[in-house]
Amino acid sequence: MTNLIGPACTICARPLWADELHRYACRPCERRITAHLDQLPDLIHDLHGLLTPGTGPASSGPRGRAATEPSAPLRLGILDRITAATATLDSWLADWHDHLDWPPPAYRTDPLVEAAAALRTNLPWAVEKHPAVDEFAREIADLHGDATGLLDPAKRPRRIGYCPASAPDDHTQACGAVLRYIPGATTVTCRWCGTTWDAIDLGAALALAV
């Protein structure tokens, strides 16, 4: 959405308060990113329970069966998401270290947990100083949404319409990308133009666009 009032949050496009003008992102968006980073390691860990077809986080069976039956093939789509989560967090942490002129990240035990913790710790710097914090927020939200949807199908993103925001390359046209809503979420982000909507505001905008 084009902001006609003044400087806006690069993530949700809402006008920044007077004490936020030195920031790229507003405080509510910072809190949402923090929550996602807090939850991601456990969510990704739980995805390991879905690696074998027919199993889930709560599945269990006789211990002796594993020794007598051949292992089931892994669900490669789940494995890809687990691998992508660690790679994404590591890539962003390395980028932040580079911006800060720090040595590359080094991990002691679990790169996913440690990268998430380091990103969370340095998020106050990023929302003030990193020009791509909006891209970071979208990627973290995507990881969080994908993992949540796999673990709880009721929370899988649902197609709700087309983005009514201005197209990034032509403000006379609507973006038009497909919008997907995660049940229970308070915001919806367009993966094409990056506009983040309050779910209630978006519902009203889509109704007017019909």
Side-chain angles (χ1 to χ4, degrees), residues 7 43 73 85 117 120 125 139 177 202:
L43 290 172
R120 188 175 65 247
W125 164 82
E139 291 191 16
L202 176 60

Side-chain angles (χ1 to χ4, degrees), residues 52-123:
T52 304
T55 64
S59 297
S60 61
R63 291 187 176 183
R65 182 174 297 177
T68 59
E69 294 185 359
S71 300
L74 295 180
R75 297 170 66 184
L76 297 182
I78 301 296
L79 183 61
D80 286 346
R81 283 172 168 82
I82 293 172
T83 303
T86 301
T88 298
L89 267 61
D90 173 65
S91 176
W92 276 108
L93 185 59
D95 175 77
W96 291 13
H97 275 230
D98 184 60
H99 273 76
L100 290 163
D101 291 324
W102 291 354
Y107 306 110
R108 296 181 179 180
T109 55
D110 189 331
L112 176 69
V113 172
E114 294 174 35
L119 289 166
R120 188 175 65 247
T121 297
N122 292 288
L123 185 59

Side-chain angles (χ1 to χ4, degrees), residues 42-59:
D42 285 341
L43 290 172
I44 301 303
H45 179 268
D46 288 346
L47 285 182
H48 285 79
L50 303 180
L51 278 171
T52 304
T55 64
S59 297

Side-chain angles (χ1 to χ4, degrees), residues 115-199:
L119 289 166
R120 188 175 65 247
T121 297
N122 292 288
L123 185 59
W125 164 82
V127 297
E128 294 186 2
K129 302 295 184 181
H130 200 300
V133 70
D134 55 331
E135 181 182 351
F136 169 72
R138 287 195 295 273
E139 291 191 16
I140 297 303
D142 285 347
L143 290 175
H144 186 275
D146 286 345
T148 301
L150 288 166
L151 293 166
D152 185 353
K155 294 184 178 180
R156 286 178 180 167
R158 301 174 184 175
R159 179 170 173 163
I160 59 172
Y162 300 97
C163 180
S166 298
D169 55 351
D170 184 356
H171 293 295
T172 66
Q173 301 292 325
C175 170
V178 172
L179 292 174
R180 300 184 186 278
Y181 171 70
I182 299 175
T186 58
T187 61
V188 177
T189 298
C190 175
R191 295 192 179 190
W192 179 254
C193 72
T195 301
T196 296
W197 301 81
D198 179 281

